[in-house]
Amino acid sequence: MSLSCVVECLDCGHRSPFSPIQSTCPNCGSVWRRAVYDYESIAKILPNLISRRPFNIWRYRELLPVLNPNPDLCLNEGGTPLVRALNLGMILSHPNLYLKDERQGPTASFKDRQAAVTISALKEAGITEAVIASTGNVAIAYSAYAARAGIKLWAFLTSLVPAAKMREVALYGTQVIKVTGSYDQAKQVAAEFAHQRGLYLDAGAKSITSVESMKTIAFEIAEQFTTQKGNSLQPTNGLTVLPWKTPDWYIQSVSGGMGPLGVYKGFEELYCMGIIERIPKIAVIQVEGCAPMVHAWRQGLDTAAPVRSPHTLIATLATGDPGRTYTILRNHILQTGGTFEMVSDQEAFRAMHFLAKMEGLSVEPAAGVAVAGLIKLVRAGQITPQESVVINVSGHTMPIERNILGEGWSKDVVLPSEQMEESAEEGLLAALSKVAIDRFPRIAIVDDNPDVRRLIRRILQSQGDYELLEAGNGLEAVELIRTQRPNLVILDLMMPEMDGFAVMEALKSDPGTAEIPIIVITAKELSAGEKERLRGHIQTLMQKGDFMSDDLLDEVRAFLK
């Protein structure tokens, strides 16, 4: 059970017992409050207690505002894996990138944590009807848990929410109210509806249970970093030794900002209890078409001016008025050295596509925003190669596939009908021949690192029909290129015995290979003399860690035309 959970007003400091029915401070009426626990007592027992519990959010029940968690409501929320992003890390030259895979929750979103804690608290308090406003994921998560708890749910959704998500909300028995307007307007309508009927209203960052639920992300990350082994990080029972470890950065895309607000509080509580030694830097990422926090941050403002008409295809992030959440987040970020950043819709879609084809994770557009934000911060040098990073990813690509893939993402095979005279085998061969009539261009990949060769091969295979050849050293490369005559060479400079410079000189001295275009990729910062040696011998120089898959593909396509 929760130990000594009280609610403290952020404006007057008044403390009162927690109740989900009490939505304002009884002393001054402020809606901005926070949960406070007996941290000294909990610090003495928590590491030993959780080592014997299942890996889900109720592992940390002493730090949650639910007196007696009901196991019958549990859908195994939380306990999501922390996956190392090897290919993304290789391309960005950042070996310590991790993805907190919130897709593994019951409804594929980190909002499952919010719904689980809130619905449990409502059930415990005897509340039978509730109201929410949502851009999709919150409504889906709350609908699942409300159905399990037998609570009537009213969901006010902006008309920008994809129809498929609305249908999923309705599937759970939730009453869907579609509001033709912005998300901020949908919240206003929901609040008025709840007020008129005297119903519980989930108020996002102003709701105690919502913020408290997000702390569990921080708790899990600290556990997983403490016991990291291999490429997927899971907790073990050896957590009684303190301190636990934390990453240097935590990155999350935001709409209203409630997620990182709770995650910061989780790290702050662990720090307060002496369980961790530092609070990670937080990077809050917004989409350019609706980025009031970023604009306020760049102007050094304490409050964010609302965006009245968001312009983005990513509806889940279209909160135009973050209110006081921005002010609180800004203070946290100033204390830890984090930042606010924004990316375009197209940068987010590109990051989604990259993550799917290079890491095997299909994520929602909001997660694409977070990954695109990481790439931007890395390229700007704000996140250094030595720093460890965790990115929150969740959801699915369902509403947005056309924007990610563009046209021509599939090829048709029309099989012959049974009435045709040709044999089934001949008909199949004829159909397949139409898939790719042209001869595939040959590309030679030359690098002594097999992981780099694998990565480049994967990039090229993801969107191109190429015949790929590989060489692991300079001597092997020269022989391969002379005999196979590829249309293009992708060449590393720094190789033992015969380096890339020597390979180029050997190829240029042979009339049969002298005209083959060369793209050089290297992790080395070249001197002026080395750059001069490349002049006239290559078409393009690319730095490892400074290109993404589409950049390389653009160069390859340009030289193969």
Side-chain angles (χ1 to χ4, degrees):
M1 62 179 288
S2 178
L3 295 178
S4 304
C5 174
V6 296
V7 177
E8 180 180 79
C9 178
L10 296 184
D11 291 309
C12 72
H14 177 77
R15 289 191 173 191
S16 57
F18 166 72
S19 168
I21 301 173
Q22 181 69 54
S23 60
T24 61
C25 172
N27 183 56
C28 72
S30 172
V31 296
W32 290 97
R33 305 164 304 143
R34 59 178 281 160
V36 180
Y37 302 83
D38 183 353
Y39 297 113
E40 183 177 353
S41 297
I42 294 174
K44 296 175 183 177
I45 62 174
L46 187 65
N48 281 306
L49 282 176
I50 66 171
S51 65
R52 301 191 295 270
R53 292 173 176 169
F55 189 45
N56 59 40
I57 65 171
W58 303 110
R59 187 176 177 90
Y60 317 104
R61 65 192 65 165
E62 285 76 20
L63 290 166
L64 292 174
V66 178
L67 289 175
N68 295 292
N70 186 342
D72 292 334
L73 300 183
C74 182
L75 290 171
N76 203 31
E77 51 276 356
T80 57
L82 195 61
V83 181
R84 194 165 195 165
L86 294 173
N87 291 330
L88 178 61
M90 191 180 302
I91 282 185
L92 295 176
S93 294
H94 276 64
N96 296 309
L97 301 182
Y98 298 90
L99 305 170
K100 185 60 170 163
D101 189 5
E102 291 293 291
R103 303 173 314 146
Q104 306 302 324
T107 71
S109 158
F110 70 97
K111 299 295 187 179
D112 287 323
R113 299 172 186 268
Q114 180 183 349
V117 174
T118 299
I119 294 297
S120 292
L122 298 185
K123 184 73 171 178
E124 191 170 67
I127 295 172
T128 59
E129 202 167 350
V131 178
I132 61 166
S134 173
T135 55
N137 288 348
V138 167
I140 293 171
Y142 271 63
S143 295
Y145 283 90
R148 193 163 181 82
I151 292 175
K152 169 68 175 179
L153 189 66
W154 299 80
F156 287 74
L157 303 173
T158 167
S159 55
L160 298 175
V161 173
K165 284 197 172 186
M166 287 195 184
R167 289 193 294 270
E168 186 172 355
V169 173
L171 183 67
Y172 290 106
T174 294
Q175 179 61 62
V176 174
I177 310 296
K178 184 165 68 171
V179 179
T180 303
S182 68
Y183 176 46
D184 292 304
Q185 290 172 320
K187 288 193 292 185
Q188 292 172 358
V189 175
E192 180 59 29
F193 178 85
H195 175 71
Q196 289 180 3
R197 297 204 173 197
L199 300 179
Y200 172 86
L201 173 69
D202 184 89
K206 297 188 286 290
S207 293
I208 294 295
T209 53
S210 295
V211 174
E212 293 303 285
S213 67
M214 294 301 148
K215 299 187 312 186
T216 60
I217 296 176
F219 299 160
E220 289 177 14
I221 290 172
E223 277 202 68
Q224 290 167 316
F225 253 77
T226 304
T227 59
Q228 60 177 301
K229 291 181 181 179
N231 297 332
S232 185
L233 309 191
Q234 296 292 349
T236 67
N237 291 336
L239 289 162
T240 55
V241 177
L242 300 178
W244 294 357
K245 297 179 181 178
T246 55
D248 296 292
W249 286 86
Y250 173 79
I251 298 179
Q252 185 172 344
S253 64
V254 303
S255 181
M258 181 264 294
L261 197 66
V263 170
Y264 179 90
K265 187 172 188 286
F267 284 122
E268 183 182 42
E269 289 182 346
L270 292 178
Y271 181 78
C272 171
M273 293 186 288
I275 294 176
I276 62 174
E277 294 182 319
R278 62 175 184 178
I279 300 173
K281 290 175 273 192
I282 307 289
V284 171
I285 316 296
Q286 293 196 290
V287 66
E288 283 181 359
C290 190
M293 296 189 194
V294 181
H295 293 304
W297 170 259
R298 291 181 177 179
Q299 296 172 55
L301 301 176
D302 290 333
T303 58
V307 174
R308 298 302 181 191
S309 300
H311 294 286
T312 175
L313 294 173
I314 305 175
T316 54
L317 298 184
T319 296
D321 187 2
R324 190 168 173 177
T325 303
Y326 163 72
T327 305
I328 299 171
L329 273 177
R330 179 178 183 270
N331 291 335
H332 293 337
I333 286 174
L334 285 172
Q335 292 170 11
T336 59
T339 191
F340 291 83
E341 186 54 87
M342 62 182 175
V343 300
S344 68
D345 284 9
Q346 289 307 313
E347 286 173 320
F349 298 153
R350 183 180 176 188
M352 288 173 66
H353 195 189
F354 173 82
L355 207 61
K357 68 188 179 185
M358 302 304 295
E359 298 290 355
L361 275 72
S362 175
V363 301
E364 69 175 349
V369 169
V371 176
L374 162 77
I375 294 167
K376 204 166 188 177
L377 294 172
V378 166
R379 287 179 163 175
Q382 193 157 357
I383 296 178
T384 65
Q386 295 75 33
E387 292 181 305
S388 55
V389 183
V390 172
I391 311 149
N392 184 313
V393 298
S394 65
H396 48 68
T397 61
M398 180 178 59
I400 219 82
E401 286 169 343
R402 178 172 296 180
N403 295 297
I404 302 168
L405 299 176
E407 301 299 329
W409 55 271
S410 65
K411 296 180 180 180
D412 296 334
V413 174
V414 181
L415 295 179
S417 65
E418 295 179 358
Q419 287 75 28
M420 295 182 65
E421 294 182 358
E422 61 184 339
S423 70
E425 182 178 355
E426 290 172 342
L428 179 60
L429 291 174
L432 288 176
S433 69
K434 295 187 174 87
V435 173
I437 300 173
D438 298 333
R439 175 177 173 270
F440 296 160
R442 288 184 171 187
I443 302 176
I445 305 168
V446 182
D447 199 300
D448 62 319
N449 186 331
D451 287 334
V452 174
R453 295 200 306 273
R454 175 182 56 81
L455 183 61
I456 295 173
R457 171 180 283 274
R458 183 69 188 90
I459 289 173
L460 295 173
Q461 286 175 332
S462 66
Q463 283 193 347
D465 292 328
Y466 307 115
E467 182 180 345
L468 303 178
L469 313 169
E470 292 187 29
N473 59 63
L475 291 173
E476 182 183 332
V478 172
E479 179 63 23
L480 174 74
I481 295 166
R482 283 175 175 168
T483 57
Q484 298 296 320
R485 300 294 176 89
N487 304 98
L488 177 70
V489 175
I490 298 175
L491 177 67
D492 180 31
L493 286 183
M494 310 312 296
M495 296 183 290
E497 299 181 14
M498 186 178 190
D499 64 15
F501 291 102
V503 171
M504 284 187 296
E505 291 169 0
L507 296 179
K508 293 301 178 183
S509 67
D510 184 339
T513 59
E515 300 302 320
I516 298 176
I518 299 173
I519 295 176
V520 164
I521 58 171
T522 181
K524 185 178 186 295
E525 288 293 334
L526 300 182
S527 66
E530 288 171 325
K531 290 180 180 178
E532 184 62 30
R533 287 183 68 184
L534 294 177
R535 190 183 302 277
H537 292 291
I538 69 169
Q539 276 63 40
T540 300
L541 173 66
M542 303 186 79
Q543 287 290 133
K544 291 178 181 177
D546 195 36
F547 67 88
M548 293 297 288
S549 59
D550 288 353
D551 299 326
L552 179 58
L553 283 169
D554 289 344
E555 296 290 341
V556 167
R557 288 165 179 155
F559 294 119
L560 290 179
K561 284 183 179 178

